[in-house]
Amino acid sequence: MADYRFLTIERTDAIATVTVQRPEKLNALNADTIVELDAALRELEADDAVRGVILTGAGEKAFVAGADIAELAKMGPLSGVRISRQGQDAFRFLERMRKPVIAAVNGFALGGGLELALACHLRVASENARFGLPEVKLGIIPGYGGTVRLPRLVGRGRALEMILTGEMIDAAEAHRIGLVNRVVPQPQLLEAARDLAAKIAANGPIAVALALQAVDFGYHATTDDALRLESNLFGLLASTEDMREGMAAFLEKRRAEFRGR
Ligand code: COA
């Protein structure tokens, strides 16, 4: 892996953990961190040995406390559009990855930090996590996909309440409204995220990749187009060794050993 200034990447078995490393700024995303995040995710996407990614923030206080306000304060209209597009493109790449990305939200997930978590496929939170889109308090709106993904995940009314008030919600409320998949005590957070990633990594990687693709496409497509893609991907899997292995293992009452072929 390349060397990164604002990220660390640790790999255990098939799971890579990417940690945003700016704890003194509550892991706020400056432009360089977004560039690095994009590059790191592209490296991990291309590496067939990686079957899942966990994304978290350094320290015990913040996942990511937003885009870097010191940088945003200098933006003009055109650079504002550019900054927003760069973040959106990086997060959209993440959302369309072939392997699952799990946000391990270990504290504040605000603004761009919540938007980053929303672009991940699954979210696990520690009990001290706090979620919010406080952009209107700064006179701006979410610019990394928050106005698009939050309503889709939790419903328009709940999303608008968060976007218009800018107030934070706690982990229990985030769980109640479906914003996070599970909440655990902070010392168990990474273990919980790894358990989830390991469960997925034990499944057929091509099947996992195509399931991610079907759900992503289905979200934006007509029902008929989405069903057609689902059938085609379903049929495509019949060409894989993994399908034969998965079904043989079931019939032989043993664990399947998927090889991603
Ligand atoms: N951008 C830049 N710097 C940030 C930041 C951000 N989004 N969030 C936190 N920081 C910096 C603070 O400026 C401070 O730096 P300093 O020590 O050099 O002064 C440091 O991180 C610690 O934050 P601090 O505000 O002192 O911690 P706190 O516990 O008092 O408050 C928050 C925590 C999360 C409530 C508060 O930092 C906050 O509101 N952050 C901004 C959240 C936001 O609006 N995000 C959306 C951006 S679009």
Side-chain angles (χ1 to χ4, degrees):
M1 298 280 308
D3 270 345
Y4 294 104
R5 193 168 151 218
F6 297 112
L7 303 177
T8 52
I9 298 168
E10 179 258 330
R11 290 166 64 155
T12 309
D13 302 322
I15 310 301
T17 303
V18 178
T19 306
V20 179
Q21 291 283 355
R22 279 187 91 202
E24 73 288 354
K25 295 289 176 193
L26 303 186
N27 304 319
L29 297 175
N30 56 8
D32 289 345
T33 306
I34 290 186
V35 168
E36 289 195 358
L37 199 51
D38 187 51
L41 292 173
R42 283 171 195 273
E43 270 194 77
L44 295 171
E45 172 77 339
D47 186 341
D48 286 338
V50 174
R51 291 201 186 172
V53 178
I54 294 166
L55 207 54
T56 193
E60 298 193 339
K61 193 168 166 185
F63 172 69
V64 166
D68 189 317
I69 298 170
E71 279 188 4
L72 285 187
K74 299 180 198 135
M75 78 179 173
L78 292 183
S79 58
V81 173
R82 198 175 58 240
I83 288 166
S84 169
R85 289 303 298 179
Q86 278 169 347
Q88 286 180 352
D89 289 349
F91 290 9
R92 184 72 180 127
F93 177 82
L94 188 173
E95 187 174 46
R96 298 185 72 189
M97 279 174 65
R98 292 181 293 128
K99 37 200 95 180
V101 185
I102 300 172
V105 181
N106 55 315
F108 290 112
L110 302 176
L114 176 52
E115 292 172 298
L116 178 60
L118 286 169
C120 293
H121 303 117
L122 300 170
R123 284 151 292 281
V124 179
S126 56
E127 286 165 345
N128 65 321
R130 298 283 178 278
F131 301 82
L133 290 176
E135 283 85 349
V136 289
K137 290 180 187 281
L138 300 167
I140 55 173
I141 64 169
Y144 294 162
T147 67
V148 177
R149 294 193 179 96
L150 188 61
R152 289 179 183 179
L153 190 61
V154 303
R156 190 190 289 214
R158 286 177 177 132
L160 275 173
E161 185 175 339
M162 289 178 72
I163 292 166
L164 299 180
T165 65
E167 296 293 309
M168 295 184 216
I169 60 171
D170 64 17
E173 176 68 358
H175 190 236
R176 194 184 70 79
I177 67 175
L179 177 49
V180 296
N181 296 80
R182 57 193 67 163
V183 179
V184 297
Q186 188 165 52
Q188 289 153 34
L189 178 67
L190 282 179
E191 190 188 326
R194 283 197 192 106
D195 283 352
L196 195 53
K199 267 188 200 150
I200 299 170
N203 297 327
I206 307 174
V208 167
L210 297 192
L212 285 167
Q213 190 186 128
V215 170
D216 186 70
F217 181 84
Y219 233 93
H220 315 287
T222 64
T223 303
D224 286 339
D225 287 346
L227 290 173
R228 181 64 56 88
L229 180 77
E230 186 189 72
S231 306
N232 289 343
L233 296 179
F234 181 81
L236 184 61
L237 285 161
S239 68
T240 62
E241 277 177 29
D242 281 355
M243 184 196 94
R244 286 187 287 285
E245 165 63 9
M247 294 193 185
F250 176 82
L251 295 172
E252 292 161 17
K253 301 189 188 305
R254 61 175 174 81
R255 257 174 77 101
E257 291 294 335
F258 293 111
R259 299 165 72 186
R261 284 191 249 178

